Amino acid sequence: MQTKPEMTDMKWARVCWAIDLVPDGPVVIRAERGRGGLQYSRIPPEQARASLGVLPSGAVTTGCITVRDSLTHRLNVPFSSRTKAMKVLPSMLDIELPFPLESCSYCFLPDASAAAPGSTSSIAVAARTAEITKTLERYRAEGFDPMVLDHEGLALWTQGLAEHPLPAGDETPRVVARLEQDSCTLAAGLGRRFLASYSSGSSDIAQVERFLRVQLPGDADRRTDWIWTGSLAGRGGDPSGLMEKLPASRPGTSTVTSEPEAFAARGLAARVLINGPLACNLRSGPAVHPRLVARARTATMKTALSLAAAGLLLAAMAVGWRAAVKARERTLEAQFQSLCSELAGYEVTARGRDAILTVNREVERRMAEMKPFLRAFSPSLTHRLASAADMAKAYDMEYASLDLADETVSITGTAGDWEACDALLKQLRSYGYSARLDREDPRPQDGRIPFTVSTRPTP
Amino acid sequence: MKRQNTEKLVMPASLLILTAGVLAAVLAVAGIGTDTEELKRKVSLIEELQGMNRALKPCEEALAAFNGLEKKRPPAMSAILADRLPRHKPQSVTQSATKLTEGWTLVMKEVTFSEIPVGKAMFLAREAERAGLSEGAPPWRLRRCSVRPSPGNPGSGQAALTFEALRKDAD
């Protein structure tokens, strides 16, 4: 069964307990993300068992399946799309395996460093379910139940790169060799690219060299970067003499890692916390750790609830907007009806523009009724009458008729000169009359000028 | 098993709620233009009514001022004529009345003189207007004045004065 991505993605982890089962007893490393990178501390197994009884949130336990009990295989697919590639990878792996894919737990790790243009390269990591069960039983027998079951060879390789980095573009053959009392495990690659891993219970150098010839063909002449780790490497040499014989056949630099007995455990912890491209977890299907299942379930629930909350929020905003608009409309409608009724003097049943027309008719009727009241406060006509009389005296005008009302005026008579008529016209216009002046030629008998001032007839 | 079924339903249900929410939001956003137009239309109708109200206000205030007067009837024109112009008897006095609002009536009186000095006619007009004001009653107001001076005597002639006053009959 293929491992689900969420069982491998441990971005949430802050602390990792890595347990490496070796013949001398479990090696436990506690790693924590710090400002300066990962902080490792070795914990005695007894203390680890006690601490792991109640695992805090954000902590992960990890272990590994040995290279002997698992396999890695590079698969190249002529698709640049990883999604497409992932669809065919299981079938390709199934062909390569000597046993049914259904009886395996497997995952595909993207390896962009080895991909040709237009293709996708992946490392398939697989182990038979039975081997996984056995490995987990071994862990349980030691009092541990790792949430992640990583691959030993990959852990050796990536930790080798982490502790002994290679410059970018360096294609030096590298072999990370782990020497334990019961096994010899190798992870081989070119530069940063992992190629394959190998494990043997014996220290048969011929078998090891055969593996290297297959995996690193034509590289025998090139200098090989040897990295030695494992409990035997830490004791200053191994009884089998691999540390001397192998570099002799493939010369190069030879380095023993610091604290080699905890190297693999450090690698396991680092792979969980760094969550790099080669991270893997072979606990899949029924073998998935219950804590990860619960966590995945919680994450799904949280996502679902977030989506639901977002949906509800959007719906609430939409409903709120509609309610606000409706409330505003109701307020305006009430204000409108109230004003209509107030202005019309009765409840207006019409709505909208019809109501306006009704109210307008009513207002005009009321204004006509009330106009005499307003007119009572306007300037009196007696002032205009007095003014007209005063002007007659002042400008030597004799009125033959004078007709004065609020909006109309009509004065006929004679004036001593032209200017007098103009003065009268100006005065009347200042009162707001739209008046017109008609003058005749001076009368022959007395030279006086007949005139008529009157408001213009309404067109 | 029951819990697993519930968990299986949670995500589709959530997606359904999200879809409904998005749909509601989209509909709300799509309706913003229409809503805004409708609100603007209502506001403009209210502003139209408020304009009418502003035009009506001075008239109502004037009516209120009349309603606040102590007396609701103007001084009698006959008394004013007799008091102010005892030597000039009008040729005719005609009256008309128009019903207005709140029980008020507009009374028009046309006083015609066949021969009167123009100055006296003006005096009558001023006195008639003052009479009501001094008594706290609705005043007479000159609405129209028509004077025809006699030929050769411009200071005197035929005059017709039209007065109006507001009167409220007892309720």
Side-chain angles (χ1 to χ4, degrees):
Chain A
M1 186 166 283
Q2 188 172 353
T3 311
K4 288 182 179 173
E6 59 268 29
M7 298 306 158
T8 306
D9 188 353
M10 302 286 159
K11 283 193 190 92
W12 49 269
R14 286 179 289 107
V15 178
C16 180
W17 299 71
I19 306 110
D20 183 24
L21 299 182
V22 290
D24 292 344
V27 175
V28 182
I29 288 288
R30 182 184 183 277
E32 188 170 5
R33 279 206 190 102
R35 285 185 182 175
L38 298 181
Q39 308 294 324
Y40 300 101
S41 51
R42 190 163 174 179
I43 310 290
E46 298 75 24
Q47 188 187 331
R49 283 187 200 99
S51 301
L52 296 177
V54 184
L55 199 62
S57 166
V60 180
T61 53
T62 181
C64 68
I65 188 163
T66 60
V67 170
R68 206 182 324 166
D69 296 335
S70 60
L71 64 88
T72 57
H73 188 75
R74 182 171 294 279
L75 295 171
N76 293 313
V77 182
F79 302 141
S80 54
S81 163
R82 176 150 180 82
T83 314
K84 275 186 184 176
M86 287 303 285
K87 288 178 183 169
V88 298
L89 284 173
S91 306
M92 291 175 73
L93 180 63
D94 197 14
I95 295 165
E96 301 283 340
L97 289 178
F99 36 80
L101 189 63
E102 291 73 29
S103 65
C104 295
S105 184
Y106 57 93
C107 56
F108 301 101
L109 315 178
D111 186 11
S113 66
S119 68
T120 306
S121 184
S122 301
I123 298 169
V125 186
R128 295 180 74 171
T129 313
E131 301 302 337
I132 286 173
T133 309
K134 275 185 204 166
T135 305
L136 290 175
E137 279 169 2
R138 281 174 56 212
Y139 270 101
R140 281 170 193 142
E142 292 289 347
F144 299 104
D145 185 15
M147 292 155 69
V148 175
L149 198 62
D150 206 341
H151 185 263
E152 181 193 14
L154 288 171
L156 292 175
W157 180 255
T158 53
Q159 192 62 14
L161 289 175
E163 295 191 6
H164 302 277
L166 282 171
D170 190 337
E171 287 292 304
T172 306
R174 171 177 272 198
V175 180
V176 182
R178 181 186 187 192
L179 305 176
E180 296 293 347
Q181 285 174 5
D182 62 340
S183 65
C184 162
T185 306
L186 303 181
L190 277 177
R192 291 164 173 265
R193 182 158 34 111
F194 171 81
L195 291 178
S197 54
Y198 168 81
S199 182
S200 168
S202 66
S203 301
D204 185 350
I205 192 162
Q207 281 187 20
V208 173
E209 283 185 334
R210 197 177 309 122
F211 163 75
L212 291 175
R213 268 199 307 280
V214 171
Q215 295 303 328
L216 303 170
D219 289 314
D221 301 337
R222 294 171 64 184
R223 292 183 65 78
T224 303
D225 191 11
W226 293 95
I227 293 174
W228 302 98
T229 185
S231 54
L232 294 184
R235 291 170 194 161
D238 64 309
S240 60
L242 283 174
M243 288 178 75
E244 291 171 4
K245 290 172 189 169
L246 285 176
S249 61
R250 287 175 175 261
T253 55
S254 195
T255 313
V256 177
T257 62
S258 64
E259 294 183 60
E261 63 282 1
F263 180 83
R266 288 202 299 277
L268 292 171
R271 282 163 62 74
V272 167
L273 293 180
I274 291 170
N275 198 39
L278 296 185
C280 88
N281 182 7
L282 288 173
R283 286 193 75 166
S284 66
V288 172
H289 196 282
R291 277 181 68 102
L292 290 183
V293 173
R295 188 172 183 90
R297 196 173 284 156
T298 308
T300 306
M301 289 296 278
K302 275 183 183 172
T303 307
L305 289 176
S306 300
L307 291 175
L312 288 174
L313 188 67
L314 283 171
M317 283 168 69
V319 170
W321 166 257
R322 290 298 317 151
V325 167
K326 285 288 166 203
R328 179 74 180 136
E329 277 183 0
R330 276 197 299 275
T331 308
L332 290 174
E333 190 60 38
Q335 196 181 349
F336 179 78
Q337 288 303 327
S338 160
L339 262 173
C340 281
S341 303
E342 185 187 327
L343 290 170
Y346 57 86
E347 192 165 340
V348 178
T349 51
R351 291 283 182 274
R353 184 54 55 188
D354 291 342
I356 291 276
L357 292 173
T358 306
V359 171
N360 195 36
R361 268 198 306 274
E362 203 56 40
V363 165
E364 280 181 357
R365 187 190 61 75
R366 288 181 67 195
M367 281 180 78
E369 279 183 354
M370 289 191 284
K371 204 169 180 184
F373 295 93
L374 190 62
R375 200 161 55 218
F377 291 92
S378 61
S380 169
L381 202 61
T382 56
H383 294 108
R384 300 179 191 181
L385 185 61
S387 172
D390 291 345
M391 289 202 74
K393 277 184 192 166
Y395 288 93
D396 183 25
M397 289 186 285
E398 290 176 5
Y399 297 152
S401 71
L402 182 149
D403 208 332
L404 199 65
D406 282 325
E407 284 87 26
T408 60
V409 63
S410 176
I411 300 173
T412 59
T414 60
D417 54 50
W418 288 84
E419 287 74 20
C421 303
D422 289 330
L424 178 64
L425 181 68
K426 191 178 172 187
Q427 183 68 23
L428 291 172
R429 282 183 175 169
S430 74
Y431 291 133
Y433 292 114
S434 179
R436 184 181 68 176
L437 171 65
D438 291 319
R439 278 177 290 210
E440 295 173 18
D441 292 333
R443 292 193 303 201
Q445 65 269 30
D446 53 8
R448 293 183 68 80
I449 300 161
F451 70 89
T452 302
V453 178
S454 63
T455 45
R456 291 175 197 279
T458 309
Chain B
M1 182 64 81
K2 192 176 176 184
R3 187 179 166 181
Q4 276 182 348
N5 285 340
T6 309
E7 283 170 0
K8 276 181 189 169
L9 286 175
V10 167
M11 189 54 90
S14 300
L15 287 172
L16 199 67
I17 292 169
L18 181 66
T19 309
V22 169
L23 201 66
V26 167
L27 287 175
V29 169
I32 283 176
T34 319
D35 293 340
T36 311
E37 282 304 311
E38 182 60 18
L39 290 176
K40 275 185 186 170
R41 194 185 65 81
K42 285 188 186 297
V43 168
S44 81
L45 288 178
I46 287 172
E47 282 172 353
E48 219 170 311
L49 289 176
Q50 284 170 339
M52 291 183 203
N53 195 25
R54 276 195 296 276
L56 199 60
K57 206 82 184 168
C59 298
E60 287 178 336
E61 284 170 3
L63 173 62
F66 272 84
N67 279 331
L69 288 174
E70 275 180 44
K71 297 177 181 174
K72 300 290 191 286
R73 298 176 74 89
M77 182 55 81
S78 55
I80 294 169
L81 287 169
D83 186 43
R84 306 298 201 276
L85 295 177
R87 293 185 198 165
H88 298 276
K89 193 168 179 172
Q91 185 184 0
S92 68
V93 176
T94 58
Q95 178 177 319
S96 64
T98 311
K99 292 276 183 194
L100 299 177
T101 184
E102 295 182 22
W104 287 90
T105 304
L106 177 68
V107 183
M108 306 278 285
K109 278 203 190 261
E110 188 179 19
V111 183
T112 310
F113 296 94
S114 55
E115 185 69 29
I116 187 170
V118 175
K120 288 288 180 188
M122 287 166 61
F123 171 74
L124 173 65
R126 277 199 302 273
E127 287 303 303
E129 286 187 350
R130 278 180 192 162
L133 291 174
S134 59
E135 294 172 21
W140 287 102
R141 183 174 182 280
L142 184 65
R143 277 300 310 274
R144 188 183 182 106
C145 168
S146 185
V147 179
R148 301 276 182 281
S150 304
N153 184 11
S156 176
Q158 188 186 0
L161 303 173
T162 306
F163 293 94
E164 72 175 11
L166 291 152
R167 183 187 73 203
K168 189 172 189 177
D169 299 322
D171 296 330

